[in-house]
Amino acid sequence: MSATGSFPAVLCLHGFLGSSRDWSDLIARLPDRRFVLPDLPGHGAAVGLAPEEYTMEGAAQRILDALDGAGAGRCLAVGYSMGGRLALYLALRHPERLAGVLLESASPGLRSEGERAARQRSDGALASRLEGGGAEDFAAFLREWHRQPLFASLADHAGLVERLVRERRENDPQELARSLRGMGTGSQPSLWSELPDLRVPALAVVGERDEKFAGIAHEMSRRTGKVRVAVVREAGHNVHLEQPREFAKLLKRFAGEV
Ligand SMILES: C=C(O[C@H]1C=C[C@H](C(=O)CCC(=O)O)[C@@H](C(=O)O)[C@@H]1O)C(=O)O
């Protein structure tokens, strides 16, 4: 799905449990930009795929196909959380396709094989719950998910958690489990060692209340000297939902620099 416009396209990649609809506010704030808004494997309409399409490489190939289908050529990629991990993967493995990359609350994966194995086990348990539970348990899963410390700041915005739970219930838990197993934080290849080879302009956007991912962003910046960091006040992990005007302003400014 893409909007009209003559500027380089903006590719927006949503997070785990989300869908391409997550970007509706951002699109409204940037009416002169053209957007490419794919659903990521296991989310929205991107379901019933071949097993390999649920991996990071498979998802990347689907994105490249979507860009080709939209005639988008080189674009500016914006990725939130899981979508940010995919955007960074694209920037490192397919740099010729990106004019720049905005990483919102994202990571390059986990550094060690031990960390990856432990995360695969915990993500595997989450996936098993998604696969084995019914509709009511999926609703409970979503409520518990948003009670994690990482998302505590969502409660400062009236009705936001309820809206996310309602919208995210439209996803298929069986498909979300496939996404988690295929391209979860523990399943994706670690990109830490590749960061020094980053050739695409990069801006990491994080919320001041998201200590974990603010730390990851500053570590990426320290390790490469190629990732600029923008910390957004009064925001947590989901910056584009909690501070939409500031997020759009950062994107406009970054788009003008790349
Ligand atoms: C809870 C952790 O990791 C998860 C948190 C965020 C990522 C995401 O895309 C969630 C988006 C949302 O719920 O708004 C997710 C991912 O990258 O796949 C992570 O599993 C954590 O503490 O690292």
Side-chain angles (χ1 to χ4, degrees):
M1 178 177 81
S2 63
T4 58
S6 58
F7 296 94
V10 180
L11 168 70
C12 292
L13 302 176
H14 63 77
F16 180 58
L17 301 175
S19 78
S20 55
R21 292 188 320 174
D22 293 357
W23 302 106
S24 52
D25 180 279
L26 181 66
I27 295 167
R29 292 176 185 270
L30 295 167
D32 60 339
R33 305 297 293 199
R34 183 162 62 107
F35 288 88
V36 178
L37 304 166
D39 287 320
L40 300 187
H43 296 74
V47 296
L49 311 179
E52 63 273 12
E53 293 186 274
Y54 292 88
T55 65
M56 190 63 95
E57 179 56 29
Q61 285 304 324
R62 286 177 59 85
I63 296 304
L64 297 176
D65 294 345
L67 291 173
D68 291 343
R74 282 176 85 237
C75 67
L76 173 62
V78 176
Y80 163 61
S81 216
M82 175 184 78
R85 294 191 284 110
L86 178 54
L88 182 56
Y89 183 92
L90 285 163
L92 288 166
R93 303 287 177 92
H94 303 277
E96 73 285 354
R97 298 304 301 265
L98 300 188
V101 63
L102 188 154
L103 305 170
E104 180 191 358
S105 309
S107 84
L110 299 171
R111 289 186 186 83
S112 73
E113 283 309 306
E115 288 173 306
R116 293 185 67 242
R119 186 60 182 264
Q120 285 179 44
R121 286 192 294 273
S122 60
D123 281 350
L126 283 180
S128 297
R129 177 174 175 188
L130 287 166
E131 289 158 345
E136 281 317 303
D137 185 62
F138 181 39
F141 171 94
L142 290 171
R143 286 191 292 273
E144 291 166 30
W145 177 268
H146 293 96
R147 281 200 287 269
Q148 295 181 89
L150 190 67
F151 302 113
S153 58
L154 290 175
D156 297 343
H157 306 268
L160 192 48
V161 171
E162 292 73 16
R163 172 188 150 194
L164 285 171
V165 170
R166 183 172 62 251
E167 289 177 352
R168 293 176 164 190
R169 284 191 74 169
E170 295 181 25
N171 278 312
D172 177 347
Q174 303 296 326
E175 287 285 336
L176 294 174
R178 293 189 183 99
S179 168
L180 202 46
R181 293 188 189 281
M183 61 182 284
T185 303
S187 300
Q188 77 156 77
S190 175
L191 301 175
W192 282 101
S193 62
E194 299 178 43
L195 285 177
D197 302 329
L198 184 63
R199 304 203 310 269
V200 173
L203 173 66
V205 175
V206 289
E208 68 176 349
R209 295 182 58 182
D210 182 357
E211 289 182 18
K212 176 170 183 177
F213 285 84
I216 291 170
H218 287 298
E219 178 66 15
M220 287 195 287
S221 182
R222 273 194 297 275
R223 279 180 174 239
T224 66
K226 300 178 181 177
V227 177
R228 279 189 296 129
V229 180
V231 181
V232 177
R233 296 185 61 248
E234 297 179 26
H237 194 70
N238 198 320
V239 180
H240 68 273
L241 274 190
E242 294 185 57
Q243 294 298 336
R245 185 169 54 180
E246 183 60 22
F247 186 83
K249 194 163 71 172
L250 285 168
L251 173 55
K252 279 179 196 170
R253 189 182 307 151
F254 185 54
E257 296 165 356
V258 295

